[in-house]
Amino acid sequence: MQNEIVIEELNTILRGSYMGVRSIEHYIQKINDDKLKQDFQFIQQEVKQDAQKLAERIQNLGGVPANSEGITGSMHSFVHKAMLSDEPNKIIEDAIKGIDNYGVEYSEEIVKGDLDPESKKIINEVIDGNRKHVEHLRGLLH
């Protein structure tokens, strides 16, 4: 298995994690409720920790980890921030959609690729964490 392919797949997930951190920052800026803000801050911290794990794995494979969400992610972030609602339930729904689509489903597609067991284990941990975030957020909807 070529490390270059694994490194690029891990970097794709890493860039997505950076997009997630940025999106969560947008939510935090819009939220006035302290408890809800803390929930999003907790999720953001876990996403940052996942990004750190991915970066370390990339380095251990001899690669250079991405340090941002990339140009496409940056454009998405700009549009996302401009279109974000002020309503707490709409913010939560947007977060669920984003985490579920990118943090779970898209990441699962990458895991189907040519990953070594250690890289696959790390990505599966990231996906499981994202599933927990989605379930927690669903529990906050009212």
Side-chain angles (χ1 to χ4, degrees):
M1 183 174 323
Q2 295 177 322
N3 277 359
E4 294 83 26
I5 294 169
V6 174
I7 289 166
E8 186 48 44
E9 289 179 350
L10 291 172
N11 262 323
T12 298
I13 300 288
L14 181 57
R15 283 188 289 276
S17 295
Y18 290 138
M19 278 180 57
V21 168
R22 178 86 62 128
S23 293
I24 294 167
E25 186 61 40
H26 298 161
Y27 302 136
I28 291 168
Q29 290 171 1
K30 290 272 190 174
I31 296 169
N32 293 319
D33 178 84
D34 288 341
K35 170 67 174 100
L36 185 56
K37 189 175 285 200
Q38 288 173 349
D39 286 325
F40 275 97
Q41 288 168 334
F42 177 78
I43 291 169
Q44 186 181 48
Q45 287 305 312
E46 288 200 341
V47 173
K48 286 179 180 179
Q49 290 169 2
D50 288 342
Q52 184 61 37
K53 287 182 207 172
L54 290 165
E56 287 173 5
R57 180 66 186 147
I58 291 165
Q59 289 170 335
N60 290 341
L61 291 170
V64 177
N67 59 5
S68 73
E69 71 265 26
I71 294 170
T72 305
S74 186
M75 290 187 313
H76 173 80
S77 177
F78 178 78
V79 172
H80 179 257
K81 185 174 184 178
M83 296 180 65
L84 192 58
S85 172
D86 288 330
E87 294 180 43
N89 273 353
K90 292 199 184 295
I91 290 172
I92 294 168
E93 289 168 359
D94 189 75
I96 290 169
K97 182 180 172 189
I99 295 169
D100 206 27
N101 286 346
Y102 297 106
V104 176
E105 292 176 15
Y106 183 71
S107 298
E108 285 176 333
E109 289 300 314
I110 300 231
V111 172
K112 291 178 185 175
D114 298 324
L115 295 177
D116 61 280
E118 181 62 24
S119 297
K120 189 175 275 198
K121 177 179 174 267
I122 291 168
I123 291 182
N124 280 324
E125 289 170 2
V126 170
I127 292 169
D128 288 343
N130 287 329
R131 281 192 187 105
K132 288 177 186 167
H133 297 152
V134 167
E135 288 310 308
H136 178 75
L137 289 170
R138 281 192 178 124
L140 298 176
L141 285 173
H142 39 39

